[in-house]
């Protein structure tokens, strides 16, 4: 959640930041209105309580002076009822403000480029030159059929559209990629975790998926359990409502998990193949840090994702997202896009984001800084999306006859 005190005390400055991320003026004015409602409710409550306390102190004086206390008692009782009512009004006003604020995105960093959508993202650099083919490269779904690696039809039969079955070498390479990613992440100081693939709603609120993105999630019927959209959710929330010591930071974590997404807003996009599935495998990196070290760890995570692609020999580019393409919780994001020769373009394979203290405020993750408790910074990034990496290997390592070479670094795992 955004810092509401900052928003209230510096409304114009904070509003300008949120405008950059596409927040409408109508919503900001509603926020301002709820601030005023809460302020008025708190003032009435404090004034009535102060008057109640003042009158309550008169009982001893009245008794010493032999005065009748009946009228005083009536006034105190009346104020007691009023105080309870005003307190309830203030509580409701605070809840209404918090409920609205839960749907407000994070402030973008000042150096995030302005833009409306992905067309305005800024390329940072390219890594590795795309291979020049002396034949027309096939797309991955053609190669999957030729090699028997992926069965799309039976995936649909087992579940519905946008599910697939990996088999044979395709399944083995997926497992190889998971092991390769985890091994390399561990070597860079990320501790491996095996986490639940379902979480409760409080955890999804903590990392920002709920309440705004409920339509993208799969819920377990009649249970407060949801299939995770990414291992970022359980990893970050391991420290939900906890206070860490400064010596424990940074906490660097990595985990494999299946990810489940309805892709509600992607109707008609990437309907063929493995690019946009309802279930996919991913290895995630998550960091919990002191604020002053989060930029350095952000660069470390971007570098790690890029190094994995480089080791696999996959051409890719790094792109800084503009304000219009930035995710809900992110203050800053760098996407890594891998070259797909069958499609003839770069496609996203990882997003590395610094959420600053946005998730920490929602999830109440703090650390002890001397005698004070401060909010941590949280970061997350894919290293990497396994299905899209498999697609990239198929298209970049294909031969004219449709056969596919195995990248050298994976041969020990296959």
């Amino acid at each position: 959640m955004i810092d509401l005190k900052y928003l209230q005390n510096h409304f114009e400055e904070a509003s300008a930041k949120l405008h950059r991320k596409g927040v409408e003026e109508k919503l900001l004015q509603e926020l301002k209105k709820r601030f005023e409602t809460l302020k008025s409710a708190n003032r009435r409550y404090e004034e009535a309580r102060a008057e109640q306390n003042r009158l309550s102190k008169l009982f001893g004086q009245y008794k010493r002076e032999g005065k009748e206390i009946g009228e005083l008692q009536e006034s105190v009782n009346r104020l007691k009822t009023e105080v309870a009512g005003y307190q309830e009004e203030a509580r409701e006003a605070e809840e209404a403000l918090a409920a609205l604020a839960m749907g407000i995105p994070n402030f973008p960093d000042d150096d995030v480029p302005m833009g409306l959508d992905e067309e305005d993202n800024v390329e940072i650099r390219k890594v590795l030159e795309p291979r020049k083919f002396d034949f027309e490269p096939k797309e991955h779904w053609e190669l999957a059929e030729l090699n028997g690696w992926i069965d799309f039809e039976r995936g649909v039969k087992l579940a519905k559209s946008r599910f697939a079955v990996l088999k044979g070498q395709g399944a083995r390479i997926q497992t190889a990629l998971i092991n390769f990613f985890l091994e390399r992440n561990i070597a860079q100081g990320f501790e491996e975790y095996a986490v639940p693939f379902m979480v409760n709603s409080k955890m999804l609120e903590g990392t920002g998926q709920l309440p705004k993105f409920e339509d993208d999630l799969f819920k377990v019927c009649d249970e407060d359990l949801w299939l995770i959209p990414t291992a970022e959710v359980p990893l970050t929330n391991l420290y939900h409502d906890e206070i860490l010591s400064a010596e424990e930071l940074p906490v660097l974590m990595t985990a494999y998990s299946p990810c489940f997404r309805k892709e509600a807003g992607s109707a008609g996009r990437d309907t063929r193949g493995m690019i946009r599935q309802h279930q996919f495998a991913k290895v995630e990196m998550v960091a919990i840090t002191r604020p002053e070290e989060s930029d350095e760890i952000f660069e470390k995570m971007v570098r790690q994702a890029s190094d994995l692609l480089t080791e696999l020999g996959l051409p890719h580019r790094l792109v800084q997202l503009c304000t219009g393409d930035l995710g809900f919780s992110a203050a800053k994001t760098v996407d890594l896009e891998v070259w797909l020769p069958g499609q003839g373009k770069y496609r996203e394979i990882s997003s590395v984001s610094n959420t600053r203290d946005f998730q920490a405020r929602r999830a109440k993750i703090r650390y002890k800084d001397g005698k004070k408790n401060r909010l941590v910074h949280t970061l997350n990034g894919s290293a990497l999306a396994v299905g899209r990496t498999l697609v990239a290997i198929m298209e970049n390592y294909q031969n004219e006859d449709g056969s596919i070479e195995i990248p050298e670094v994976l041969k020990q795992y296959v």
Side-chain angles (χ1 to χ4, degrees):
M1 187 188 296
I2 55 173
D3 185 343
L4 292 180
K5 286 185 179 178
Y6 168 68
L7 180 61
Q8 185 174 21
N9 295 332
H10 307 277
F11 191 82
E12 296 306 319
E13 180 181 297
S15 294
K17 291 176 182 287
L18 292 172
H19 278 310
R20 295 181 68 227
K21 210 164 179 182
V23 177
E24 295 180 357
E25 180 63 25
K26 181 180 178 182
L27 183 56
L28 292 172
Q29 290 305 316
E30 179 62 25
L31 261 179
K32 193 172 187 178
K33 179 181 174 183
R34 293 194 189 188
F35 274 128
E36 292 302 321
T37 300
L38 176 59
K39 186 177 179 181
S40 297
N42 280 332
R43 185 178 63 250
R44 287 192 296 272
Y45 167 63
E46 293 297 339
E47 288 174 352
R49 191 173 67 164
E51 180 64 8
Q52 181 191 21
N53 291 339
R54 186 186 72 80
L55 292 180
S56 295
K57 291 176 183 177
L58 293 177
F59 279 106
Q61 179 183 330
Y62 274 35
K63 285 182 179 179
R64 285 193 303 272
E65 296 175 357
K67 290 183 178 180
E68 172 62 43
I69 64 170
E71 189 174 329
L72 177 62
Q73 185 68 62
E74 286 180 11
S75 297
V76 170
N77 290 340
R78 175 178 52 79
L79 278 167
K80 186 177 180 181
T81 301
E82 287 182 8
V83 165
Y86 290 145
Q87 186 177 29
E88 180 62 17
E89 282 182 18
R91 185 191 64 78
E92 290 176 356
E94 188 171 20
E95 287 183 354
L97 174 61
L100 185 61
M102 287 290 276
I104 302 294
N106 197 3
F107 298 116
D109 281 359
D110 291 338
D111 63 351
V112 173
M114 277 292 293
L116 295 176
D117 53 33
E118 61 186 15
E119 297 299 321
D120 296 319
N121 293 339
V122 177
E123 182 180 293
I124 300 170
R125 64 178 179 275
K126 287 187 171 79
V127 180
L128 302 181
E129 282 292 320
R131 170 186 167 192
K132 290 183 170 57
F133 290 84
D134 54 11
F135 59 90
E136 185 70 27
K138 297 178 176 62
E139 297 205 45
H140 72 277
W141 54 79
E142 300 176 78
L143 295 164
E145 185 176 349
L146 283 169
N147 291 275
W149 285 15
I150 309 172
D151 191 329
F152 294 106
E153 291 183 3
R154 287 190 172 93
V156 174
K157 180 175 73 172
L158 290 172
K160 64 176 185 177
S161 62
R162 297 195 178 187
F163 285 88
V165 175
L166 298 182
K167 60 179 183 176
Q169 193 80 320
R172 292 180 68 195
I173 291 176
Q174 172 170 279
T175 303
L177 286 168
I178 292 168
N179 289 330
F180 170 66
F181 295 157
L182 288 172
E183 196 174 275
R184 293 300 193 269
N185 290 348
I186 292 165
Q188 290 300 314
F190 292 84
E191 185 174 8
E192 183 182 358
Y193 285 74
V195 293
F197 301 154
M198 291 187 283
V199 294
N200 60 52
S201 56
K202 200 72 177 172
M203 302 303 104
L204 289 158
E205 288 175 3
T207 41
Q209 284 79 17
L210 285 179
K212 190 173 179 63
F213 301 104
E214 181 176 344
D215 290 345
D216 282 330
L217 302 170
F218 285 100
K219 190 177 190 302
V220 179
C221 292
D222 302 322
E223 294 265 3
D224 182 25
L225 287 173
W226 307 71
L227 296 173
I228 61 171
T230 164
E232 167 202 342
V233 179
L235 286 176
T236 305
N237 282 291
L238 284 171
Y239 295 94
H240 192 284
D241 201 11
E242 292 189 21
I243 301 172
L244 295 90
S245 67
E247 292 72 31
E248 290 179 87
L249 300 176
V251 177
L252 304 179
M253 299 173 279
T254 187
Y256 150 74
S257 77
C259 305
F260 304 91
R261 299 181 188 179
K262 286 185 179 178
E263 298 288 356
S266 62
R269 296 176 61 194
D270 300 309
T271 53
R272 293 192 68 180
M274 289 275 289
I275 294 294
R276 201 174 296 276
Q277 296 275 285
H278 290 307
Q279 176 185 320
F280 58 94
K282 183 153 69 80
V283 172
E284 189 77 358
M285 299 180 291
V286 165
I288 296 177
T289 80
R290 290 186 292 269
E292 55 268 25
E293 65 187 348
S294 70
D295 285 327
E296 179 184 345
I297 290 177
F298 178 77
E299 295 301 328
K300 174 186 175 78
M301 292 170 67
V302 171
R303 187 166 57 250
Q304 176 64 5
S306 179
D307 286 349
L308 291 173
L309 289 167
T310 301
E311 276 202 79
L312 288 166
L314 295 174
H316 58 281
R317 66 175 185 169
L318 282 65
V319 176
Q320 182 168 5
L321 299 196
C322 69
T323 52
D325 201 29
L326 206 57
F328 178 79
S329 297
K332 181 178 185 177
T333 297
V334 168
D335 272 6
L336 286 86
E337 299 178 348
V338 69
W339 175 252
L340 298 182
Q343 295 189 21
K345 59 183 175 182
Y346 289 94
R347 297 299 304 266
E348 178 198 337
I349 196 167
S350 173
S351 280
V352 180
S353 297
N354 191 338
T355 77
R356 304 297 179 188
D357 60 11
F358 183 82
Q359 290 180 331
R361 184 172 286 103
R362 296 168 75 105
K364 301 177 185 175
I365 308 174
R366 295 141 290 165
Y367 76 101
K368 185 68 72 175
D369 183 16
K371 294 183 179 180
K372 295 180 64 177
N373 294 332
R374 296 180 64 195
L375 292 168
V376 299
H377 280 191
T378 63
L379 303 93
N380 62 80
S382 308
L384 294 161
V386 178
R388 293 192 179 195
T389 308
L390 176 61
V391 167
I393 288 171
M394 293 169 72
E395 293 198 11
N396 282 278
Y397 282 89
Q398 63 179 292
N399 299 312
E400 189 170 8
D401 63 0
S403 61
I404 301 166
E405 302 292 333
I406 306 297
E408 194 63 35
V409 294
L410 290 186
K411 288 182 179 178
Q412 62 176 305
Y413 300 95
V414 179

